[in-house]
Amino acid sequence: MTAWAQSLIRISNYEVETLQKRLAEITARRASAEMRLAVLDAEAEVERERARHDAESGLLLQAYLNGWKARKGAAESDLNELDVEEHGARDALTGAFEELKKFEHVAETTRLNALIAAGRRETAAFDELGLRRRAV
C-alpha cells in the first residue's frame, strides 16, 4: 500500500474514532437526561402521595407541581436537543465510515493494479527471454 493511501486511511480511522467517542458522549448525556426525567417523575409521585396523607403538604403540592412542570419541560427540551445532536453525530459517523471504506477500496484497487502490472511485466520479461533463447 502506498504512503498516501496509508495516510488517508489513518486520518479516516482517526475521524471515525473521534466521531465514535462523540456519539458515546452524547449517548451518555442522553441516558443522564432520561434518568433525570425518571427521577423527576418519581419525586412528583412521592410528593403526591405525601399530599394525600398530610394536609400541609397538600396545600403546597400545586406550587411544587408548577416548579416540577418547569423542570420537566427543561429536561424534555434537553432530551430533544440531544436527539437532534445524536442524529447529526450518527450521520457524520456514517459518512466517515463511507469515506474510510472508499479510501480502503481505492488503496486495495491500487495494490491489486500494481500486482497485475508487476505480473504483466514479469510475463513480458519471460516472453522476451523465451524469444531470445529461441532466436539463438
Side-chain angles (χ1 to χ4, degrees), residues 34-70:
E34 289 171 344
M35 181 61 73
R36 193 170 67 221
L37 274 173
V39 167
L40 283 170
D41 287 341
E43 288 173 350
E45 190 55 39
V46 167
E47 288 299 322
R48 285 186 185 110
E49 188 62 30
R50 187 177 301 161
R52 284 187 200 108
H53 300 294
D54 181 16
E56 189 177 325
S57 293
L59 295 173
L60 300 174
L61 180 62
Q62 192 56 45
Y64 173 81
L65 289 178
N66 288 339
W68 172 81
K69 286 177 186 175

Side-chain angles (χ1 to χ4, degrees), residues 10-136:
R10 199 170 324 129
I11 290 168
S12 291
N13 273 323
Y14 177 77
E15 183 177 359
V16 165
E17 289 170 5
T18 301
L19 290 170
Q20 285 173 329
K21 288 176 187 174
R22 178 177 169 224
L23 185 58
E25 187 264 339
I26 293 168
T27 302
R29 287 189 344 214
R30 178 185 175 81
S32 176
E34 289 171 344
M35 181 61 73
R36 193 170 67 221
L37 274 173
V39 167
L40 283 170
D41 287 341
E43 288 173 350
E45 190 55 39
V46 167
E47 288 299 322
R48 285 186 185 110
E49 188 62 30
R50 187 177 301 161
R52 284 187 200 108
H53 300 294
D54 181 16
E56 189 177 325
S57 293
L59 295 173
L60 300 174
L61 180 62
Q62 192 56 45
Y64 173 81
L65 289 178
N66 288 339
W68 172 81
K69 286 177 186 175
R71 288 190 308 275
K72 185 172 180 175
E76 288 172 340
S77 175
D78 290 346
L79 199 54
N80 289 336
E81 289 174 12
L82 285 169
D83 283 342
V84 171
E85 189 175 351
E86 183 179 24
H87 183 70
R90 286 190 189 284
D91 287 348
L93 183 57
T94 298
F97 268 126
E98 289 172 357
E99 287 297 313
L100 173 61
K101 294 303 168 195
K102 285 178 190 175
F103 292 142
E104 288 174 343
H105 177 72
V106 168
E108 182 64 13
T109 301
T110 302
R111 186 186 71 80
L112 292 175
N113 286 341
L115 287 174
I116 291 169
R120 286 182 184 152
R121 285 190 300 273
E122 184 180 7
T123 300
F126 283 134
D127 288 347
E128 184 179 330
L129 182 62
L131 288 174
R132 285 185 186 169
R133 284 189 180 167
R134 240 171 56 190
V136 174

